[in-house]
Amino acid sequence: MGSPSGPPFDPDDPDRERRERDTEPIPRFRPDDGPGFGSGPGLSDGPSLSDDIGYGDGPGYAGEGRSGRSWVRDPEAGHQQTTFSEEELAGLRVDASGMPMGPRRVLPLEDEPSSLVARYLFPTERYRGEWKRHWIHLATPIVIGIAATFVLGYLSGFLAGQNVGALTTIAVLLWFAVMGWVAWRVADWWYDRFILTNKRVMVVNGIITRRVAMMPLVRVTDMKYEQTPTGRALNYGTFVLESAGQEQALREIKNLPNPNELYLRVVEEMYEPQAVEARLGKEADEAKADDGA
């Protein structure tokens, strides 16, 4: 029978308590033994740090759920989490082709130019649209025509009662002359067009003598539109184009309809021509798909 290992038991040994303390086995800890410790993987017989240790709600941080999992900066600490509204996120979303999925800000572009405009376009430029001037452009001729009708009609009736046939005839001829001038102004308004392509802006007007003025988009250094209170109410405005600070044949274009839409089209054509081409290609594909359906 062998003797036990180690020195014999001596109650008076001064190092006995130290040796017993050093050789005492470490007890198994349970989650309910105290805060800050729990059983972790691979450390079932020893203490393990819990998920929340060291992540308490200190100054400058506000816990969300478990404070060690999600942090939100305190605004008073000088840093705050960036947030975006739904409108801003809608403007950032794009489809598979990279086109924005937000709402359109301009109306659809016309497919083909009219016969009046097509003769002034060369084969390699892309047609973007044409616009007649706002009907307010005819306000003065129409008012004059209506006034002349009432005044000369009353005058003709008065002179007819006075048996002055010559003066009555003159009043009638004067009325025809005024109405002929009004018809001329209406026809001139009909043939007056503002044209936009991928390379230039143009104004074509005149019935007998045709006038064509144009400015390349690459030469436009400044563009603005102005709207009076009446223009804002009736949706028309005046465009002012400048090129290198020089006077141009095409500088001020009055009474254009839908100035905000037109402004966006011109600016987009100047700065984002690839986006215009992509949108037109996508619209053409959708139109073909609808026709096929």
mmCIF file of all heavy atoms in Angstrom, residues 109-110 112-113 117-131 194-204 213-218 220 250 262 265-271 273 276-277 280:
data_model
loop_
_atom_site.group_PDB
_atom_site.id
_atom_site.type_symbol
_atom_site.label_atom_id
_atom_site.label_comp_id
_atom_site.label_asym_id
_atom_site.label_seq_id
_atom_site.Cartn_x
_atom_site.Cartn_y
_atom_site.Cartn_z
ATOM 1 N N LEU A 109 -41.518 63.602 -74.886
ATOM 2 C CA LEU A 109 -41.028 64.308 -76.062
ATOM 3 C C LEU A 109 -41.774 63.850 -77.310
ATOM 4 O O LEU A 109 -42.206 62.705 -77.411
ATOM 5 C CB LEU A 109 -39.529 64.055 -76.221
ATOM 6 C CG LEU A 109 -38.641 64.574 -75.092
ATOM 7 C CD1 LEU A 109 -37.219 64.082 -75.276
ATOM 8 C CD2 LEU A 109 -38.662 66.081 -75.033
ATOM 9 N N GLU A 110 -41.924 64.773 -78.264
ATOM 10 C CA GLU A 110 -42.558 64.422 -79.516
ATOM 11 C C GLU A 110 -41.648 63.512 -80.330
ATOM 12 O O GLU A 110 -40.423 63.582 -80.244
ATOM 13 C CB GLU A 110 -42.904 65.688 -80.317
ATOM 14 C CG GLU A 110 -43.981 66.563 -79.679
ATOM 15 C CD GLU A 110 -43.452 67.443 -78.564
ATOM 16 O OE1 GLU A 110 -42.228 67.387 -78.334
ATOM 17 O OE2 GLU A 110 -44.241 68.164 -77.935
ATOM 18 N N GLU A 112 -41.741 63.043 -83.964
ATOM 19 C CA GLU A 112 -41.330 63.542 -85.269
ATOM 20 C C GLU A 112 -41.627 65.031 -85.380
ATOM 21 O O GLU A 112 -42.628 65.518 -84.850
ATOM 22 C CB GLU A 112 -42.062 62.789 -86.384
ATOM 23 C CG GLU A 112 -41.757 61.297 -86.422
ATOM 24 C CD GLU A 112 -40.320 61.011 -86.828
ATOM 25 O OE1 GLU A 112 -39.712 61.895 -87.488
ATOM 26 O OE2 GLU A 112 -39.806 59.940 -86.490
ATOM 27 N N PRO A 113 -40.771 65.776 -86.083
ATOM 28 C CA PRO A 113 -41.051 67.198 -86.302
ATOM 29 C C PRO A 113 -42.151 67.382 -87.332
ATOM 30 O O PRO A 113 -42.406 66.507 -88.160
ATOM 31 C CB PRO A 113 -39.711 67.741 -86.801
ATOM 32 C CG PRO A 113 -39.058 66.577 -87.463
ATOM 33 C CD PRO A 113 -39.485 65.363 -86.674
ATOM 34 N N VAL A 117 -41.055 72.307 -89.702
ATOM 35 C CA VAL A 117 -39.772 72.335 -89.001
ATOM 36 C C VAL A 117 -38.767 71.375 -89.613
ATOM 37 O O VAL A 117 -37.558 71.645 -89.603
ATOM 38 C CB VAL A 117 -39.995 72.012 -87.508
ATOM 39 C CG1 VAL A 117 -38.679 71.862 -86.764
ATOM 40 C CG2 VAL A 117 -40.854 73.082 -86.858
ATOM 41 N N ALA A 118 -39.227 70.269 -90.170
ATOM 42 C CA ALA A 118 -38.319 69.224 -90.644
ATOM 43 C C ALA A 118 -37.346 69.733 -91.698
ATOM 44 O O ALA A 118 -36.207 69.261 -91.779
ATOM 45 C CB ALA A 118 -39.126 68.050 -91.194
ATOM 46 N N ARG A 119 -37.752 70.700 -92.482
ATOM 47 C CA ARG A 119 -36.874 71.194 -93.552
ATOM 48 C C ARG A 119 -35.657 71.932 -93.018
ATOM 49 O O ARG A 119 -34.687 72.147 -93.757
ATOM 50 C CB ARG A 119 -37.674 72.121 -94.474
ATOM 51 C CG ARG A 119 -38.073 73.419 -93.826
ATOM 52 C CD ARG A 119 -38.969 74.257 -94.690
ATOM 53 N NE ARG A 119 -40.287 73.643 -94.836
ATOM 54 C CZ ARG A 119 -41.284 74.208 -95.521
ATOM 55 N NH1 ARG A 119 -41.078 75.362 -96.137
ATOM 56 N NH2 ARG A 119 -42.451 73.609 -95.582
ATOM 57 N N TYR A 120 -35.676 72.350 -91.745
ATOM 58 C CA TYR A 120 -34.560 73.111 -91.175
ATOM 59 C C TYR A 120 -33.625 72.254 -90.323
ATOM 60 O O TYR A 120 -32.702 72.792 -89.707
ATOM 61 C CB TYR A 120 -35.101 74.264 -90.324
ATOM 62 C CG TYR A 120 -35.996 75.199 -91.087
ATOM 63 C CD1 TYR A 120 -37.363 75.225 -90.854
ATOM 64 C CD2 TYR A 120 -35.475 76.053 -92.059
ATOM 65 C CE1 TYR A 120 -38.196 76.080 -91.556
ATOM 66 C CE2 TYR A 120 -36.305 76.909 -92.775
ATOM 67 C CZ TYR A 120 -37.666 76.909 -92.515
ATOM 68 O OH TYR A 120 -38.481 77.752 -93.225
ATOM 69 N N LEU A 121 -33.854 70.957 -90.275
ATOM 70 C CA LEU A 121 -33.020 70.065 -89.474
ATOM 71 C C LEU A 121 -32.112 69.248 -90.380
ATOM 72 O O LEU A 121 -32.565 68.725 -91.407
ATOM 73 C CB LEU A 121 -33.897 69.127 -88.641
ATOM 74 C CG LEU A 121 -34.940 69.790 -87.732
ATOM 75 C CD1 LEU A 121 -35.724 68.730 -86.975
ATOM 76 C CD2 LEU A 121 -34.294 70.769 -86.769
ATOM 77 N N PHE A 122 -30.853 69.127 -89.996
ATOM 78 C CA PHE A 122 -29.953 68.285 -90.791
ATOM 79 C C PHE A 122 -30.007 66.851 -90.269
ATOM 80 O O PHE A 122 -30.421 66.596 -89.135
ATOM 81 C CB PHE A 122 -28.530 68.841 -90.819
ATOM 82 C CG PHE A 122 -27.920 69.121 -89.479
ATOM 83 C CD1 PHE A 122 -27.216 68.140 -88.802
ATOM 84 C CD2 PHE A 122 -28.035 70.378 -88.892
ATOM 85 C CE1 PHE A 122 -26.639 68.395 -87.584
ATOM 86 C CE2 PHE A 122 -27.458 70.635 -87.657
ATOM 87 C CZ PHE A 122 -26.758 69.641 -87.007
ATOM 88 N N PRO A 123 -29.584 65.873 -91.077
ATOM 89 C CA PRO A 123 -29.869 64.463 -90.773
ATOM 90 C C PRO A 123 -29.305 63.953 -89.454
ATOM 91 O O PRO A 123 -29.879 63.040 -88.855
ATOM 92 C CB PRO A 123 -29.251 63.716 -91.964
ATOM 93 C CG PRO A 123 -29.188 64.715 -93.067
ATOM 94 C CD PRO A 123 -28.941 66.024 -92.407
ATOM 95 N N THR A 124 -28.185 64.491 -89.003
ATOM 96 C CA THR A 124 -27.529 63.907 -87.831
ATOM 97 C C THR A 124 -27.985 64.508 -86.504
ATOM 98 O O THR A 124 -27.517 64.070 -85.448
ATOM 99 C CB THR A 124 -26.000 64.079 -87.946
ATOM 100 O OG1 THR A 124 -25.687 65.472 -88.080
ATOM 101 C CG2 THR A 124 -25.467 63.309 -89.130
ATOM 102 N N GLU A 125 -28.868 65.496 -86.519
ATOM 103 C CA GLU A 125 -29.309 66.058 -85.243
ATOM 104 C C GLU A 125 -30.636 65.442 -84.826
ATOM 105 O O GLU A 125 -31.454 65.057 -85.657
ATOM 106 C CB GLU A 125 -29.390 67.588 -85.298
ATOM 107 C CG GLU A 125 -30.544 68.172 -86.044
ATOM 108 C CD GLU A 125 -30.506 69.694 -86.035
ATOM 109 O OE1 GLU A 125 -30.117 70.290 -85.009
ATOM 110 O OE2 GLU A 125 -30.862 70.289 -87.063
ATOM 111 N N ARG A 126 -30.795 65.349 -83.529
ATOM 112 C CA ARG A 126 -31.968 64.700 -82.953
ATOM 113 C C ARG A 126 -33.013 65.747 -82.570
ATOM 114 O O ARG A 126 -32.724 66.682 -81.831
ATOM 115 C CB ARG A 126 -31.576 63.897 -81.715
ATOM 116 C CG ARG A 126 -30.493 62.861 -81.966
ATOM 117 C CD ARG A 126 -30.997 61.735 -82.840
ATOM 118 N NE ARG A 126 -30.000 60.700 -83.022
ATOM 119 C CZ ARG A 126 -29.816 59.685 -82.191
ATOM 120 N NH1 ARG A 126 -30.559 59.594 -81.094
ATOM 121 N NH2 ARG A 126 -28.901 58.770 -82.438
ATOM 122 N N TYR A 127 -34.200 65.545 -83.055
ATOM 123 C CA TYR A 127 -35.310 66.448 -82.776
ATOM 124 C C TYR A 127 -35.822 66.238 -81.353
ATOM 125 O O TYR A 127 -36.017 65.105 -80.905
ATOM 126 C CB TYR A 127 -36.414 66.187 -83.796
ATOM 127 C CG TYR A 127 -37.725 66.866 -83.515
ATOM 128 C CD1 TYR A 127 -37.908 68.212 -83.820
ATOM 129 C CD2 TYR A 127 -38.786 66.158 -82.955
ATOM 130 C CE1 TYR A 127 -39.123 68.832 -83.576
ATOM 131 C CE2 TYR A 127 -39.995 66.771 -82.716
ATOM 132 C CZ TYR A 127 -40.166 68.100 -83.020
ATOM 133 O OH TYR A 127 -41.364 68.707 -82.777
ATOM 134 N N ARG A 128 -36.037 67.332 -80.611
ATOM 135 C CA ARG A 128 -36.505 67.254 -79.229
ATOM 136 C C ARG A 128 -37.875 67.884 -79.009
ATOM 137 O O ARG A 128 -38.529 67.558 -78.030
ATOM 138 C CB ARG A 128 -35.502 67.936 -78.298
ATOM 139 C CG ARG A 128 -34.129 67.289 -78.277
ATOM 140 C CD ARG A 128 -34.214 65.851 -77.861
ATOM 141 N NE ARG A 128 -32.905 65.265 -77.657
ATOM 142 C CZ ARG A 128 -32.555 64.063 -78.060
ATOM 143 N NH1 ARG A 128 -33.412 63.318 -78.741
ATOM 144 N NH2 ARG A 128 -31.354 63.587 -77.826
ATOM 145 N N GLY A 129 -38.306 68.754 -79.884
ATOM 146 C CA GLY A 129 -39.628 69.332 -79.708
ATOM 147 C C GLY A 129 -39.739 70.699 -80.357
ATOM 148 O O GLY A 129 -38.740 71.348 -80.665
ATOM 149 N N GLU A 130 -40.980 71.128 -80.560
ATOM 150 C CA GLU A 130 -41.262 72.450 -81.107
ATOM 151 C C GLU A 130 -42.486 73.014 -80.389
ATOM 152 O O GLU A 130 -43.384 72.277 -79.978
ATOM 153 C CB GLU A 130 -41.520 72.376 -82.612
ATOM 154 C CG GLU A 130 -42.696 71.491 -82.986
ATOM 155 C CD GLU A 130 -42.844 71.347 -84.491
ATOM 156 O OE1 GLU A 130 -42.184 70.459 -85.055
ATOM 157 O OE2 GLU A 130 -43.606 72.136 -85.069
ATOM 158 N N TRP A 131 -42.505 74.332 -80.232
ATOM 159 C CA TRP A 131 -43.563 74.986 -79.487
ATOM 160 C C TRP A 131 -44.004 76.258 -80.205
ATOM 161 O O TRP A 131 -43.163 77.047 -80.663
ATOM 162 C CB TRP A 131 -43.087 75.360 -78.080
ATOM 163 C CG TRP A 131 -42.756 74.196 -77.213
ATOM 164 C CD1 TRP A 131 -43.559 73.598 -76.301
ATOM 165 C CD2 TRP A 131 -41.507 73.480 -77.178
ATOM 166 N NE1 TRP A 131 -42.900 72.556 -75.696
ATOM 167 C CE2 TRP A 131 -41.646 72.458 -76.216
ATOM 168 C CE3 TRP A 131 -40.304 73.589 -77.874
ATOM 169 C CZ2 TRP A 131 -40.616 71.572 -75.933
ATOM 170 C CZ3 TRP A 131 -39.288 72.705 -77.598
ATOM 171 C CH2 TRP A 131 -39.439 71.707 -76.630
ATOM 172 N N PHE A 194 -40.688 77.747 -81.812
ATOM 173 C CA PHE A 194 -39.436 77.587 -81.066
ATOM 174 C C PHE A 194 -39.071 76.115 -81.122
ATOM 175 O O PHE A 194 -39.893 75.248 -80.791
ATOM 176 C CB PHE A 194 -39.604 78.051 -79.625
ATOM 177 C CG PHE A 194 -38.379 77.830 -78.778
ATOM 178 C CD1 PHE A 194 -37.322 78.716 -78.814
ATOM 179 C CD2 PHE A 194 -38.290 76.729 -77.939
ATOM 180 C CE1 PHE A 194 -36.198 78.514 -78.025
ATOM 181 C CE2 PHE A 194 -37.176 76.519 -77.148
ATOM 182 C CZ PHE A 194 -36.125 77.410 -77.194
ATOM 183 N N ILE A 195 -37.835 75.804 -81.530
ATOM 184 C CA ILE A 195 -37.426 74.421 -81.813
ATOM 185 C C ILE A 195 -36.218 74.084 -80.959
ATOM 186 O O ILE A 195 -35.292 74.898 -80.805
ATOM 187 C CB ILE A 195 -37.085 74.247 -83.308
ATOM 188 C CG1 ILE A 195 -38.241 74.749 -84.169
ATOM 189 C CG2 ILE A 195 -36.758 72.794 -83.633
ATOM 190 C CD1 ILE A 195 -37.853 75.019 -85.602
ATOM 191 N N LEU A 196 -36.221 72.875 -80.421
ATOM 192 C CA LEU A 196 -35.093 72.364 -79.632
ATOM 193 C C LEU A 196 -34.625 71.053 -80.233
ATOM 194 O O LEU A 196 -35.423 70.156 -80.504
ATOM 195 C CB LEU A 196 -35.510 72.146 -78.183
ATOM 196 C CG LEU A 196 -34.484 71.466 -77.263
ATOM 197 C CD1 LEU A 196 -33.251 72.333 -77.088
ATOM 198 C CD2 LEU A 196 -35.111 71.132 -75.906
ATOM 199 N N THR A 197 -33.311 70.945 -80.455
ATOM 200 C CA THR A 197 -32.691 69.688 -80.868
ATOM 201 C C THR A 197 -31.563 69.371 -79.893
ATOM 202 O O THR A 197 -31.336 70.104 -78.924
ATOM 203 C CB THR A 197 -32.140 69.779 -82.303
ATOM 204 O OG1 THR A 197 -30.972 70.630 -82.327
ATOM 205 C CG2 THR A 197 -33.182 70.341 -83.258
ATOM 206 N N ASN A 198 -30.850 68.283 -80.166
ATOM 207 C CA ASN A 198 -29.747 67.928 -79.281
ATOM 208 C C ASN A 198 -28.513 68.777 -79.514
ATOM 209 O O ASN A 198 -27.521 68.638 -78.799
ATOM 210 C CB ASN A 198 -29.391 66.454 -79.456
ATOM 211 C CG ASN A 198 -28.818 66.157 -80.825
ATOM 212 O OD1 ASN A 198 -29.197 66.785 -81.822
ATOM 213 N ND2 ASN A 198 -27.913 65.203 -80.913
ATOM 214 N N LYS A 199 -28.563 69.681 -80.497
ATOM 215 C CA LYS A 199 -27.398 70.503 -80.813
ATOM 216 C C LYS A 199 -27.654 71.998 -80.730
ATOM 217 O O LYS A 199 -26.725 72.768 -80.536
ATOM 218 C CB LYS A 199 -26.873 70.158 -82.213
ATOM 219 C CG LYS A 199 -26.385 68.723 -82.350
ATOM 220 C CD LYS A 199 -25.834 68.461 -83.735
ATOM 221 C CE LYS A 199 -25.349 67.015 -83.872
ATOM 222 N NZ LYS A 199 -24.241 66.710 -82.968
ATOM 223 N N ARG A 200 -28.908 72.440 -80.850
ATOM 224 C CA ARG A 200 -29.161 73.874 -80.927
ATOM 225 C C ARG A 200 -30.602 74.192 -80.566
ATOM 226 O O ARG A 200 -31.460 73.306 -80.487
ATOM 227 C CB ARG A 200 -28.867 74.390 -82.340
ATOM 228 C CG ARG A 200 -29.600 73.618 -83.422
ATOM 229 C CD ARG A 200 -29.289 74.127 -84.802
ATOM 230 N NE ARG A 200 -29.864 73.278 -85.837
ATOM 231 C CZ ARG A 200 -30.065 73.661 -87.086
ATOM 232 N NH1 ARG A 200 -29.727 74.877 -87.456
ATOM 233 N NH2 ARG A 200 -30.587 72.831 -87.966
ATOM 234 N N VAL A 201 -30.841 75.490 -80.347
ATOM 235 C CA VAL A 201 -32.192 76.027 -80.218
ATOM 236 C C VAL A 201 -32.422 76.949 -81.404
ATOM 237 O O VAL A 201 -31.508 77.636 -81.866
ATOM 238 C CB VAL A 201 -32.392 76.772 -78.885
ATOM 239 C CG1 VAL A 201 -32.355 75.811 -77.727
ATOM 240 C CG2 VAL A 201 -31.329 77.858 -78.705
ATOM 241 N N MET A 202 -33.667 76.965 -81.905
ATOM 242 C CA MET A 202 -33.984 77.720 -83.103
ATOM 243 C C MET A 202 -35.316 78.430 -82.921
ATOM 244 O O MET A 202 -36.185 77.970 -82.182
ATOM 245 C CB MET A 202 -34.074 76.791 -84.327
ATOM 246 C CG MET A 202 -32.849 75.958 -84.587
ATOM 247 S SD MET A 202 -33.165 74.697 -85.857
ATOM 248 C CE MET A 202 -33.652 75.716 -87.234
ATOM 249 N N VAL A 203 -35.467 79.537 -83.658
ATOM 250 C CA VAL A 203 -36.743 80.228 -83.787
ATOM 251 C C VAL A 203 -36.976 80.459 -85.277
ATOM 252 O O VAL A 203 -36.144 81.062 -85.956
ATOM 253 C CB VAL A 203 -36.762 81.565 -83.027
ATOM 254 C CG1 VAL A 203 -38.021 82.356 -83.376
ATOM 255 C CG2 VAL A 203 -36.699 81.323 -81.533
ATOM 256 N N VAL A 204 -38.107 79.959 -85.768
ATOM 257 C CA VAL A 204 -38.488 80.095 -87.173
ATOM 258 C C VAL A 204 -39.792 80.863 -87.220
ATOM 259 O O VAL A 204 -40.777 80.463 -86.578
ATOM 260 C CB VAL A 204 -38.642 78.720 -87.848
ATOM 261 C CG1 VAL A 204 -39.076 78.881 -89.290
ATOM 262 C CG2 VAL A 204 -37.338 77.936 -87.768
ATOM 263 N N ALA A 213 -33.437 81.818 -86.886
ATOM 264 C CA ALA A 213 -32.368 82.190 -85.954
ATOM 265 C C ALA A 213 -32.063 80.982 -85.089
ATOM 266 O O ALA A 213 -32.954 80.243 -84.685
ATOM 267 C CB ALA A 213 -32.792 83.369 -85.089
ATOM 268 N N MET A 214 -30.794 80.771 -84.820
ATOM 269 C CA MET A 214 -30.411 79.601 -84.024
ATOM 270 C C MET A 214 -29.188 79.918 -83.186
ATOM 271 O O MET A 214 -28.420 80.833 -83.458
ATOM 272 C CB MET A 214 -30.170 78.393 -84.923
ATOM 273 C CG MET A 214 -28.896 78.413 -85.718
ATOM 274 S SD MET A 214 -27.561 77.525 -84.868
ATOM 275 C CE MET A 214 -26.246 77.658 -86.082
ATOM 276 N N MET A 215 -29.017 79.114 -82.102
ATOM 277 C CA MET A 215 -27.852 79.221 -81.229
ATOM 278 C C MET A 215 -27.444 77.813 -80.811
ATOM 279 O O MET A 215 -28.278 77.058 -80.301
ATOM 280 C CB MET A 215 -28.158 80.057 -79.990
ATOM 281 C CG MET A 215 -26.961 80.192 -79.042
ATOM 282 S SD MET A 215 -27.359 81.112 -77.533
ATOM 283 C CE MET A 215 -27.658 82.740 -78.218
ATOM 284 N N PRO A 216 -26.186 77.427 -81.009
ATOM 285 C CA PRO A 216 -25.739 76.097 -80.552
ATOM 286 C C PRO A 216 -25.807 75.998 -79.032
ATOM 287 O O PRO A 216 -25.507 76.957 -78.317
ATOM 288 C CB PRO A 216 -24.296 76.010 -81.064
ATOM 289 C CG PRO A 216 -24.194 77.045 -82.140
ATOM 290 C CD PRO A 216 -25.137 78.138 -81.749
ATOM 291 N N LEU A 217 -26.168 74.828 -78.548
ATOM 292 C CA LEU A 217 -26.259 74.632 -77.101
ATOM 293 C C LEU A 217 -24.897 74.771 -76.426
ATOM 294 O O LEU A 217 -24.817 75.199 -75.272
ATOM 295 C CB LEU A 217 -26.854 73.259 -76.803
ATOM 296 C CG LEU A 217 -28.334 73.074 -77.159
ATOM 297 C CD1 LEU A 217 -28.767 71.639 -76.885
ATOM 298 C CD2 LEU A 217 -29.201 74.042 -76.387
ATOM 299 N N VAL A 218 -23.838 74.400 -77.117
ATOM 300 C CA VAL A 218 -22.501 74.493 -76.518
ATOM 301 C C VAL A 218 -22.063 75.936 -76.350
ATOM 302 O O VAL A 218 -21.127 76.223 -75.604
ATOM 303 C CB VAL A 218 -21.474 73.720 -77.366
ATOM 304 C CG1 VAL A 218 -21.784 72.236 -77.362
ATOM 305 C CG2 VAL A 218 -21.423 74.256 -78.792
ATOM 306 N N VAL A 220 -24.195 78.374 -75.362
ATOM 307 C CA VAL A 220 -25.048 79.037 -74.368
ATOM 308 C C VAL A 220 -24.308 79.107 -73.036
ATOM 309 O O VAL A 220 -23.964 78.078 -72.449
ATOM 310 C CB VAL A 220 -26.385 78.289 -74.202
ATOM 311 C CG1 VAL A 220 -27.217 78.943 -73.107
ATOM 312 C CG2 VAL A 220 -27.150 78.265 -75.518
ATOM 313 N N LEU A 250 -30.623 85.400 -81.549
ATOM 314 C CA LEU A 250 -31.578 84.649 -80.745
ATOM 315 C C LEU A 250 -31.228 84.876 -79.274
ATOM 316 O O LEU A 250 -30.469 84.139 -78.671
ATOM 317 C CB LEU A 250 -31.509 83.158 -81.091
ATOM 318 C CG LEU A 250 -32.457 82.237 -80.330
ATOM 319 C CD1 LEU A 250 -33.895 82.618 -80.573
ATOM 320 C CD2 LEU A 250 -32.228 80.791 -80.729
ATOM 321 N N LEU A 262 -40.091 73.730 -70.325
ATOM 322 C CA LEU A 262 -39.149 74.022 -71.403
ATOM 323 C C LEU A 262 -37.750 74.276 -70.861
ATOM 324 O O LEU A 262 -36.743 73.840 -71.449
ATOM 325 C CB LEU A 262 -39.649 75.223 -72.195
ATOM 326 C CG LEU A 262 -38.869 75.598 -73.458
ATOM 327 C CD1 LEU A 262 -38.750 74.403 -74.383
ATOM 328 C CD2 LEU A 262 -39.537 76.765 -74.163
ATOM 329 N N ARG A 265 -36.148 70.968 -70.055
ATOM 330 C CA ARG A 265 -35.741 70.238 -71.264
ATOM 331 C C ARG A 265 -34.436 70.781 -71.826
ATOM 332 O O ARG A 265 -33.550 70.011 -72.203
ATOM 333 C CB ARG A 265 -36.842 70.338 -72.316
ATOM 334 C CG ARG A 265 -38.062 69.500 -72.010
ATOM 335 C CD ARG A 265 -38.920 69.361 -73.235
ATOM 336 N NE ARG A 265 -40.083 68.534 -72.972
ATOM 337 C CZ ARG A 265 -40.926 68.139 -73.912
ATOM 338 N NH1 ARG A 265 -40.722 68.499 -75.163
ATOM 339 N NH2 ARG A 265 -41.956 67.398 -73.613
ATOM 340 N N VAL A 266 -34.331 72.099 -71.893
ATOM 341 C CA VAL A 266 -33.118 72.686 -72.461
ATOM 342 C C VAL A 266 -31.919 72.390 -71.563
ATOM 343 O O VAL A 266 -30.845 72.005 -72.039
ATOM 344 C CB VAL A 266 -33.297 74.207 -72.660
ATOM 345 C CG1 VAL A 266 -31.992 74.832 -73.148
ATOM 346 C CG2 VAL A 266 -34.414 74.486 -73.654
ATOM 347 N N VAL A 267 -32.088 72.549 -70.248
ATOM 348 C CA VAL A 267 -30.980 72.299 -69.319
ATOM 349 C C VAL A 267 -30.569 70.834 -69.347
ATOM 350 O O VAL A 267 -29.377 70.502 -69.341
ATOM 351 C CB VAL A 267 -31.372 72.734 -67.903
ATOM 352 C CG1 VAL A 267 -30.331 72.286 -66.894
ATOM 353 C CG2 VAL A 267 -31.526 74.247 -67.843
ATOM 354 N N GLU A 268 -31.546 69.931 -69.387
ATOM 355 C CA GLU A 268 -31.207 68.508 -69.449
ATOM 356 C C GLU A 268 -30.467 68.174 -70.733
ATOM 357 O O GLU A 268 -29.526 67.377 -70.737
ATOM 358 C CB GLU A 268 -32.477 67.671 -69.344
ATOM 359 C CG GLU A 268 -32.204 66.171 -69.252
ATOM 360 C CD GLU A 268 -33.472 65.365 -69.145
ATOM 361 O OE1 GLU A 268 -34.514 65.826 -69.654
ATOM 362 O OE2 GLU A 268 -33.431 64.268 -68.565
ATOM 363 N N GLU A 269 -30.865 68.807 -71.829
ATOM 364 C CA GLU A 269 -30.187 68.565 -73.101
ATOM 365 C C GLU A 269 -28.765 69.116 -73.076
ATOM 366 O O GLU A 269 -27.864 68.567 -73.713
ATOM 367 C CB GLU A 269 -30.980 69.206 -74.240
ATOM 368 C CG GLU A 269 -30.597 68.713 -75.612
ATOM 369 C CD GLU A 269 -30.881 67.232 -75.799
ATOM 370 O OE1 GLU A 269 -32.006 66.799 -75.526
ATOM 371 O OE2 GLU A 269 -29.945 66.508 -76.189
ATOM 372 N N MET A 270 -28.537 70.175 -72.317
ATOM 373 C CA MET A 270 -27.209 70.770 -72.235
ATOM 374 C C MET A 270 -26.277 69.957 -71.352
ATOM 375 O O MET A 270 -25.097 69.779 -71.683
ATOM 376 C CB MET A 270 -27.312 72.206 -71.704
ATOM 377 C CG MET A 270 -27.972 73.191 -72.651
ATOM 378 S SD MET A 270 -28.305 74.786 -71.856
ATOM 379 C CE MET A 270 -26.652 75.288 -71.344
ATOM 380 N N TYR A 271 -26.794 69.439 -70.223
ATOM 381 C CA TYR A 271 -25.924 68.828 -69.221
ATOM 382 C C TYR A 271 -26.047 67.313 -69.138
ATOM 383 O O TYR A 271 -25.123 66.661 -68.662
ATOM 384 C CB TYR A 271 -26.207 69.433 -67.843
ATOM 385 C CG TYR A 271 -25.867 70.900 -67.758
ATOM 386 C CD1 TYR A 271 -26.868 71.866 -67.797
ATOM 387 C CD2 TYR A 271 -24.545 71.322 -67.657
ATOM 388 C CE1 TYR A 271 -26.558 73.213 -67.727
ATOM 389 C CE2 TYR A 271 -24.229 72.665 -67.585
ATOM 390 C CZ TYR A 271 -25.243 73.609 -67.620
ATOM 391 O OH TYR A 271 -24.932 74.940 -67.552
ATOM 392 N N PRO A 273 -27.226 64.886 -71.849
ATOM 393 C CA PRO A 273 -27.764 64.346 -73.117
ATOM 394 C C PRO A 273 -27.873 62.828 -73.107
ATOM 395 O O PRO A 273 -28.762 62.269 -73.748
ATOM 396 C CB PRO A 273 -26.755 64.852 -74.162
ATOM 397 C CG PRO A 273 -25.492 65.103 -73.389
ATOM 398 C CD PRO A 273 -25.930 65.563 -72.032
ATOM 399 N N VAL A 276 -31.213 61.819 -71.681
ATOM 400 C CA VAL A 276 -32.309 62.018 -72.634
ATOM 401 C C VAL A 276 -32.361 60.868 -73.627
ATOM 402 O O VAL A 276 -33.425 60.314 -73.920
ATOM 403 C CB VAL A 276 -32.142 63.363 -73.365
ATOM 404 C CG1 VAL A 276 -33.261 63.561 -74.380
ATOM 405 C CG2 VAL A 276 -32.131 64.514 -72.367
ATOM 406 N N GLU A 277 -31.185 60.476 -74.151
ATOM 407 C CA GLU A 277 -31.146 59.378 -75.113
ATOM 408 C C GLU A 277 -31.630 58.089 -74.466
ATOM 409 O O GLU A 277 -32.376 57.311 -75.082
ATOM 410 C CB GLU A 277 -29.716 59.197 -75.644
ATOM 411 C CG GLU A 277 -29.211 60.356 -76.500
ATOM 412 C CD GLU A 277 -29.904 60.429 -77.830
ATOM 413 O OE1 GLU A 277 -30.559 59.434 -78.218
ATOM 414 O OE2 GLU A 277 -29.815 61.487 -78.489
ATOM 415 N N LEU A 280 -35.449 58.258 -74.079
ATOM 416 C CA LEU A 280 -36.128 58.099 -75.360
ATOM 417 C C LEU A 280 -36.069 56.655 -75.836
ATOM 418 O O LEU A 280 -37.054 56.122 -76.360
ATOM 419 C CB LEU A 280 -35.485 59.020 -76.410
ATOM 420 C CG LEU A 280 -35.726 60.515 -76.215
ATOM 421 C CD1 LEU A 280 -34.996 61.306 -77.285
ATOM 422 C CD2 LEU A 280 -37.211 60.830 -76.258
#
